Amino acid sequence: MIKYKTPQEIEIMREAAQIVSRTLGLVAKHMKPGVTPKFLDQLAEDYIRSQNAIPGFLGLYGCPSTLLISVNEQVVHGLPTERPFEDGDIVSVDCGSVYKGYYGDHAYTFEVGEVKPEVKKLLEVTKECLYLGIAEAKAGNRIEDIGWAIQQHAEKHGYGVVRDLVGHGLGKELHEEPQVPNYGRRGRGKKIQNGLTIAIEPMINMGTEKVMTLDDKWTIVTADGKPSAHFEHDIAVVDGEPVILSTFDFIYEALGK
Ligand code: MG
Ligand code: MG
């Protein structure tokens, strides 16, 4: 059952999302060759706790960390390690918070140093996919319209759209109904209505859409070892239109964009 939110609940969710946004802004400031995922994880945990919130992933489903940090061919769910980032890496950082009982959950894929042009293109197109998907999240449309828009754009560029992991409803639980796949058919799925709150999160691979799970039982990697990108925003449908509760502005500010 989909739990539609009141305007009051949506305002709390905006704050939860913004705590994540500010955390990712802090991460952006430190995203350099030589920095370790573990360092960023501690930084994020300390910051979230300083905001009267708690890390959203830590302890959930047995997750050992505040951030999920996925490098290069890692798609999502990478566990923070002591292995330093290197020049040319791309790094997806996914972060959750719980504020007044509601979840924020969003993600950005960062460039470390100088990244190859074809990898930059993957990041650019994946971010475009995110916003094309968000634009479809309006009252009267259907859930698969979101994935349809994402899939069309990604496949136009020859990229693979991950099938095994999807976006989701968001609220008092990190994963609520409905599932929000990044692929789909126009006009299919549940009708979108006011009060719907979802996380839209395209995971787009440079090569095959197929993925595998590493022996740590967490890290998802591309089956062909090619890079993968991931961007995520939290959305509420208000007055028939998608409202983005999270923001990349703190990241852009940190990166001087
Ligand atoms: Mg996430
Ligand atoms: Mg999510």
Side-chain angles (χ1 to χ4, degrees):
M1 200 185 68
I2 297 176
K3 295 188 179 102
Y4 297 96
K5 310 302 187 295
T6 65
Q8 290 77 13
E9 289 180 292
I10 290 171
E11 278 321 299
I12 298 171
M13 288 185 65
R14 184 196 300 276
E15 190 48 41
Q18 294 279 319
I19 290 167
V20 174
S21 302
R22 296 197 296 272
T23 307
L24 292 179
L26 193 60
V27 164
K29 280 186 199 159
H30 292 85
M31 188 57 80
K32 293 186 184 80
V35 170
T36 67
K38 278 260 192 211
F39 170 81
L40 295 181
D41 189 55
Q42 189 61 54
L43 194 74
E45 178 175 351
D46 293 346
Y47 180 76
I48 290 170
R49 293 194 192 282
S50 79
Q51 301 301 296
N52 298 317
I54 55 172
F57 300 162
L58 188 63
L60 191 70
Y61 315 122
C63 179
S65 58
T66 294
L67 301 179
L68 292 167
I69 301 181
S70 310
V71 184
N72 298 331
E73 79 285 359
Q74 299 177 352
V75 180
V76 286
H77 300 171
L79 300 180
T81 65
E82 297 284 6
R83 190 184 160 175
F85 301 124
E86 292 174 21
D87 191 50
D89 282 346
I90 55 167
V91 182
S92 151
V93 180
D94 198 348
C95 178
S97 75
V98 185
Y99 178 74
K100 296 187 177 170
Y102 290 83
Y103 279 88
D105 169 25
H106 86 108
Y108 193 90
T109 302
F110 297 90
E111 298 173 24
V112 179
E114 220 30 69
V115 169
K116 284 188 202 149
E118 65 264 33
V119 178
K120 265 183 193 285
K121 183 76 187 170
L122 173 70
L123 298 185
E124 206 176 287
V125 170
T126 304
K127 201 192 282 179
E128 288 164 3
C129 283
L130 171 62
Y131 288 103
L132 289 168
I134 291 170
E136 297 291 333
K138 55 190 178 193
N141 272 12
R142 290 179 181 270
I143 288 294
E144 286 197 29
D145 290 331
I146 297 169
W148 173 83
I150 291 169
Q151 183 181 8
Q152 292 296 309
H153 192 60
E155 290 183 351
K156 201 167 74 188
H157 290 271
Y159 298 147
V161 177
V162 174
R163 302 295 201 276
D164 294 8
L165 300 129
V166 296
H168 50 92
L170 186 72
K172 286 185 179 173
E173 310 278 348
L174 178 63
H175 297 122
E176 296 187 352
E177 286 184 41
Q179 291 200 347
V180 184
N182 296 305
Y183 55 91
R185 284 196 276 168
R186 197 109 185 84
R188 302 277 294 231
K190 277 238 155 62
K191 206 173 238 183
I192 293 170
Q193 58 185 71
N194 285 329
L196 180 74
T197 49
I198 51 176
I200 298 179
E201 50 178 318
M203 288 155 258
I204 307 295
N205 299 345
M206 187 176 275
T208 178
E209 71 208 36
K210 298 258 183 313
V211 298
M212 304 181 306
T213 307
L214 294 187
D215 288 341
D216 65 9
K217 302 265 198 324
W218 277 89
T219 314
I220 310 282
V221 297
T222 58
D224 60 6
K226 290 187 182 171
S228 179
H230 176 219
F231 291 89
E232 179 176 23
H233 266 318
D234 299 336
I235 311 299
V237 181
V238 179
D239 295 331
E241 296 296 322
V243 173
I244 306 177
L245 302 176
S246 44
T247 178
F248 293 147
D249 285 356
F250 300 107
I251 294 172
Y252 296 150
E253 199 183 303
L255 299 178
K257 277 198 190 176

